Amino acid sequence: MIEKFAGFFDPSIVKDKVHIIGCGAIGSTLAIQLTRCGLTDITLWDFDIVSPHNLANQQYWNAQIGLPKTTALSDLMKAINPHIKIDVKEGYIDEQLSGYIFMAVDNIDVRKQIVKSNMYNQSVKAVFDFRMRLKDAQHYGANWNIKEDKDNLLKTMDFTQEEADAATPVNACGMTMSIIPTVETVVAVGVGNFINYLHDPATLRKFIMVNPFDY
C-alpha cells in the first residue's frame, strides 16, 4: 500500500502511539486517512454506538448500525490493512497519554480535560485539535515540547459548551447539522499538518481555518 506514496512519506517514522479521541465524523475520517497513510498503531477512544444519522457524515456503513463505534471503525481499518494494531478505549476521563493526540470530541470540556491532564506529560509529542460547524472548521496544532504552544491551545478553549452549542447550526429537529465535505476537508488539512510536523516540527501550523464552500 505504501508504495503509492513512497518517497514522500514513510509511515515507519511514526514510532509513538497515535490516539484518536472521539470516533464521530472527524475521528472516523481521521482513522481511515491515517490507516491509508500506512500508520499501524492507533488507539481509538469512544463510548458511542453507530446510529442511522451517523451515515451522513461519518465513515460507517448501514450494516454497522448498532455496533460500538470503536468496533465498527476497527473493522473498517482492518479491511484496509489487516496487519494494523488497534487498541480501543471508552470515553476519556483523565488518562496520561503518550505520542500523538488527535482530539475529535464534540465537547469542549473534554478537550480541556485532555490538555490539562497531559499539560506536563513529557511522553506526549504533539496534539492536533479539530472543531467544526456546518460549512467551516478549525484545526489547531501544538508541539508539546513548546510551552507556548500548549498554553495557546488551552487559551483557544476559553468558552463553555453552552456557548459552543449556541454557535452550532441545528436543523428543525434540534439535531446538529454537519456535512461530509467540511469533515473531509478539515481532516485532510490536519493529516497534512501532522505529516509536515513529522518531517520538520518547525513547519507545524498552529491554526488553520477551512471552508470548502468558500474558495
Side-chain angles (χ1 to χ4, degrees):
M1 180 172 64
I2 63 174
E3 288 83 359
K4 187 75 172 179
F5 46 83
F8 173 71
F9 173 60
D10 179 2
S12 69
I13 67 175
V14 183
K15 305 295 186 183
D16 299 278
K17 177 74 74 174
V18 170
H19 296 270
I20 299 176
I21 306 180
C23 295
I26 296 292
S28 64
T29 305
L30 269 169
I32 297 302
Q33 287 199 19
L34 292 175
T35 299
R36 292 193 186 280
C37 285
L39 271 65
T40 56
D41 189 358
I42 297 175
T43 299
L44 304 175
W45 297 73
D46 205 293
F47 59 85
D48 201 4
I49 64 171
V50 179
S51 299
H53 67 267
N54 295 148
L55 304 185
N57 68 342
Q58 302 181 21
Q59 298 298 314
Y60 305 107
W61 295 358
N62 186 74
Q64 295 178 312
I65 291 173
L67 291 176
K69 287 185 175 180
T70 51
T71 300
L73 189 52
S74 295
D75 289 345
L76 295 175
M77 295 162 71
K78 289 176 181 177
I80 297 168
N81 180 4
H83 305 294
I84 193 171
K85 176 185 175 184
I86 304 171
D87 293 327
V88 298
K89 306 281 188 180
E90 292 190 358
Y92 180 89
I93 299 177
D94 58 2
E95 289 85 352
Q96 291 287 288
L97 305 175
S98 64
Y100 305 100
I101 302 172
F102 289 81
M103 297 195 296
V105 294
D106 57 5
N107 187 293
I108 193 64
D109 295 323
V110 176
R111 284 196 187 93
K112 291 176 186 176
Q113 185 64 34
I114 295 168
V115 171
K116 290 178 178 178
S117 295
N118 292 277
M119 181 64 77
Y120 305 106
N121 183 352
Q122 297 182 355
S123 296
V124 175
K125 303 295 184 181
V127 173
F128 301 88
D129 187 18
F130 299 79
R131 306 174 199 175
M132 182 180 64
R133 296 188 295 184
L134 177 61
K135 296 192 296 182
D136 61 278
Q138 302 170 343
H139 168 67
Y140 299 84
N143 185 333
W144 228 239
N145 294 314
I146 300 175
K147 182 179 184 300
E148 183 180 7
D149 278 16
K150 297 186 286 188
D151 291 342
N152 287 341
L153 179 60
L154 188 58
K155 287 177 183 177
T156 69
M157 303 176 186
D158 189 20
F159 56 92
T160 66
Q161 185 58 42
E162 290 75 17
E163 290 171 326
D165 291 341
T168 303
V170 296
N171 62 20
C173 299
M175 184 179 295
T176 299
M177 298 174 69
S178 176
I179 189 166
I180 193 67
T182 307
V183 177
E184 294 193 339
T185 300
V186 72
V187 170
V189 166
V191 171
N193 201 27
F194 172 58
I195 291 174
N196 284 341
Y197 163 85
L198 292 171
H199 287 154
D200 180 2
T203 66
L204 179 71
R205 295 282 298 274
K206 311 302 172 60
F207 172 74
I208 305 172
M209 173 76 81
V210 300
N211 184 334
F213 300 94
D214 182 16
Y215 55 89

